[in-house]
Amino acid sequence: MKVGNDGANDKRPNETRPGEVTGGESGESLPLPLPLAAREQRFDIRIARDGTWFHEGDPIRRIELVKLFATVLRRDEAGHFWLVTPVERGRIVVEDTPFVAVEMAASGHGDEQVLSFRTNLDEWVESGPDHPIRVVHNPENGEPTPYILIRNGLEARILRPVYYEMVDRADTRGHDGEAEVGVWSKKVFFALGRLPGG
């Protein structure tokens, strides 16, 4: 397979590094080291902001193939994305995040609540200490973009309708003299934003 683009890097705002939590505890899932013995290739693969995978400019239509690639997807400490096997590795372009959270399920209430998210590749994760939620606010218009850590430094961008479901389940609490809105999951409070005038 023809591989990649030397300009592959994380192009989204990075106010908080993946694995860090806004308003909660630090996540334990960190980027994995890349195998140095693997031969570096050049892969012409890109993951668009909507989660669509492209190879040589054409969308990869076989979901099974995309899921297979996702199992060998890694992110290094510099924020670059790689496909890594025991014998080869190559950088790929990720426009925002490699996954998109397309559905949410909730159980329980208050700090006993558990929020579960399904990615576009049908992987479910429960938000909590190991899968923190973070929100990045656009500095120009204040628009929030929420993310959840899936594994090993790989995040999913939470789609707007799913974010609104989170807001519907939000609580308010005081923090450092300010009021903030957020959601509980597995006894961790994840801040979504601050109240006006808070």
Side-chain angles (χ1 to χ4, degrees), residues 95-107:
E95 291 183 354
D96 186 14
T97 57
F99 309 111
V100 178
V102 298
E103 182 181 349
M104 184 185 81
S107 62

Side-chain angles (χ1 to χ4, degrees), residues 101-106 113 115-117 124 146 158-171 182-183 192:
V102 298
E103 182 181 349
M104 184 185 81
Q113 177 174 254
L115 300 179
S116 302
F117 295 84
W124 282 93
I158 299 171
L159 290 183
R160 187 70 51 197
V162 179
Y163 175 69
Y164 291 148
E165 288 183 53
M166 291 170 57
V167 171
D168 284 342
R169 302 187 70 87
D171 288 331
V183 291
L192 302 179

Side-chain angles (χ1 to χ4, degrees), residues 115-119 123-127 131 148-150:
L115 300 179
S116 302
F117 295 84
R118 181 175 67 85
T119 74
E123 181 176 358
W124 282 93
V125 295
E126 294 180 347
S127 57
H131 299 283
I148 181 169
L149 183 66
I150 303 300

Side-chain angles (χ1 to χ4, degrees), residues 16-55:
T16 308
R17 286 194 57 80
E20 293 182 356
V21 183
T22 303
E25 300 172 10
S26 294
E28 299 297 327
S29 185
L30 300 175
L32 293 174
L34 300 179
L36 297 179
R39 187 167 47 97
E40 186 169 335
Q41 303 290 310
R42 295 182 58 80
F43 297 133
D44 189 4
I45 293 178
R46 173 176 63 91
I47 305 176
R49 191 172 191 273
D50 68 358
T52 303
W53 288 57
F54 290 84
H55 176 244

Side-chain angles (χ1 to χ4, degrees), residues 2 17 37 39 63 71-73 91 135 149 167 171 174 189:
K2 188 177 178 183
R17 286 194 57 80
R39 187 167 47 97
I63 188 66
T71 64
V72 295
L73 181 63
R91 270 204 279 184
V135 178
L149 183 66
V167 171
D171 288 331
F189 185 83

Side-chain angles (χ1 to χ4, degrees), residues 61-94:
R61 302 193 187 283
R62 290 182 53 204
I63 188 66
E64 297 82 5
L65 185 57
V66 171
K67 288 180 178 181
L68 179 62
F69 283 152
T71 64
V72 295
L73 181 63
R74 302 288 183 267
R75 187 176 189 203
D76 66 21
E77 293 180 356
H80 300 128
F81 293 90
W82 300 75
L83 294 181
V84 179
T85 72
V87 295
E88 64 180 2
R89 62 190 176 120
R91 270 204 279 184
I92 68 170
V93 174
V94 177

